Amino acid sequence: PNQVILSCFPKCGTTWLKALAFAITTLSSESEPTNPLLTRMSHDCVPFIEFNMHSSQPELSLDIPLASTHIPYTSLPKSIINSGCKIVYICRDPKDVFVSLWHFQNKLTSQEGLPTNKNIEDPLEIFCEGIISAGPIWDHVLGY
């Protein structure tokens, strides 16, 4: 019941929300020169429940009551839903989400040496149909 789950659809502000929540949560326990956010990404400080809840970085304390997820509410484990924990949800304009996602995917593609997708219409159609890992954006938002 003391846990706080940070949730959002991908590309809606996960990094920002994690950094802000971590800073607020650790305000009294971390001094400014030793705050992990100065040397680590917020994704290293606040684990995703679907990827790395059990941190591979033992020097980071898991005593903070924060975890994050992109999992739709209807797919969350019943143990989370019934725990009484707080869930903080952030959403973003779907047009901005799509543009951010499109640029992010093109960046990853170019880093792998593959040609980037200059055509925006097909990816937009796929996004609007909800054929992506997190499902349709409005189902995700309305679920929370």
Side-chain angles (χ1 to χ4, degrees):
N2 296 331
Q3 189 79 23
V4 177
I5 306 294
L6 309 174
S7 183
C8 67
F9 193 82
K11 307 312 292 174
C12 281
T14 310
T15 305
W16 175 87
L17 181 61
K18 284 178 158 187
L20 184 60
F22 184 85
I24 291 169
T25 305
T26 61
L27 190 60
S28 63
S29 63
E30 295 288 343
S31 66
E32 188 173 327
T34 63
N35 191 308
L37 285 175
L38 295 174
T39 58
R40 300 182 190 280
M41 295 292 295
S42 61
H43 296 301
D44 295 330
C45 298
V46 180
F48 277 104
I49 62 174
E50 58 264 44
F51 299 123
N52 57 345
M53 189 59 194
H54 300 288
S55 178
S56 60
Q57 301 177 19
E59 68 275 9
L60 278 180
S61 170
L62 292 177
D63 293 339
I64 60 161
L66 293 173
S68 70
T69 188
H70 290 313
I71 297 173
Y73 186 82
T74 55
S75 298
L76 284 175
K78 297 295 180 212
S79 59
I80 291 177
I81 294 171
N82 297 330
S83 71
C85 69
K86 293 170 182 58
I87 298 177
V88 176
Y89 189 82
I90 186 171
C91 59
R92 184 179 184 191
D93 186 307
K95 294 177 285 189
D96 297 331
V97 172
F98 170 72
V99 170
S100 180
L101 183 63
W102 186 71
H103 283 294
F104 180 75
Q105 288 174 334
N106 277 338
K107 181 180 176 184
L108 289 179
T109 301
S110 69
Q111 288 176 348
E112 293 175 5
L114 300 170
T116 58
N117 188 356
K118 301 297 182 199
N119 171 14
I120 199 166
E121 290 82 16
D122 292 339
L124 177 60
E125 187 66 30
I126 290 169
F127 178 81
C128 290
E129 291 175 7
I131 307 172
I132 59 175
S133 62
I137 188 167
W138 287 118
D139 289 352
H140 200 282
V141 173
L142 293 173
Y144 280 93

